[in-house]
Amino acid sequence: MSRIGNRILKIPDGVKVEVQPTLVKVTGPKGSLEQKIKEVIKVEVKDNEIITIRSNEEKQTKQLHGTYNSLISGMLEGVTKGFKKELEVSGVGYKVAMKGTTLNMSVGFSHDVNIETPVGITITTPSITEIVVEGIDKQLVGETAAVIRA
């Protein structure tokens, strides 16, 4: 993980990064995200670049170094471009539709399956067999898509 942790992250135009000892806040055109950081990892912003530095060479610290670097990278991408997952429903008679903020799925059960849209996520149904999940938080977009698939 040290190679990933040693990456220098470029801050895109229009993105503001605030660093506190245990918190990184990234604000961009699409919104704002926060990530708590353990004290063994130090985050520095210099010359429009983000650098993550580990305080020691323990195994867990090395793992966290790469993890936090990847999380911050995802935050930078999320507030500028956003994330999108496209799902396809396949089955005879299967169909999906949005009813307000609830995704209504008819997928072969005796009843419809309804899934509430989490805060910060946009779900659209371009056709009766397609679902598009969009948002700025990579983890929340993936988790919502996984819940819909299950």
Side-chain angles (χ1 to χ4, degrees), residues 93-145:
Y94 287 10
K95 55 187 171 183
V96 295
M98 286 300 294
K99 290 186 179 176
T101 60
T102 304
L103 177 66
N104 181 291
M105 299 189 299
S106 298
V107 287
F109 294 115
S110 61
H111 59 283
D112 289 350
V113 177
N114 296 314
I115 298 176
E116 279 295 321
T117 304
V119 176
I121 294 294
T122 305
I123 299 177
T124 55
T125 52
S127 71
I128 62 169
T129 60
E130 294 178 300
I131 304 168
V132 178
V133 182
E134 296 177 288
I136 63 170
D137 189 346
K138 187 175 187 177
Q139 181 179 351
L140 191 56
V141 169
E143 185 178 330
T144 304

Side-chain angles (χ1 to χ4, degrees), residues 37-135:
I37 304 285
K38 293 205 177 208
E39 294 175 356
V40 293
I41 303 298
K42 185 179 174 188
V43 179
E44 292 181 355
V45 177
K46 291 181 183 175
D47 301 326
N48 218 23
E49 295 178 335
I50 299 175
I51 302 165
T52 53
I53 302 165
R54 60 179 179 247
S55 62
N56 57 48
E57 296 297 317
E58 292 178 12
K59 183 177 179 181
Q60 185 178 15
T61 305
K62 288 180 180 180
Q63 293 168 343
L64 289 173
H65 188 213
T67 300
Y68 285 131
N69 193 299
S70 292
L71 288 173
I72 295 169
S73 175
M75 291 167 63
L76 292 172
E77 186 178 343
V79 298
T80 53
K81 301 175 196 168
F83 294 99
K84 178 187 210 179
K85 294 269 186 184
E86 297 176 354
L87 306 172
E88 183 180 355
V89 179
S90 61
V92 176
Y94 287 10
K95 55 187 171 183
V96 295
M98 286 300 294
K99 290 186 179 176
T101 60
T102 304
L103 177 66
N104 181 291
M105 299 189 299
S106 298
V107 287
F109 294 115
S110 61
H111 59 283
D112 289 350
V113 177
N114 296 314
I115 298 176
E116 279 295 321
T117 304
V119 176
I121 294 294
T122 305
I123 299 177
T124 55
T125 52
S127 71
I128 62 169
T129 60
E130 294 178 300
I131 304 168
V132 178
V133 182
E134 296 177 288

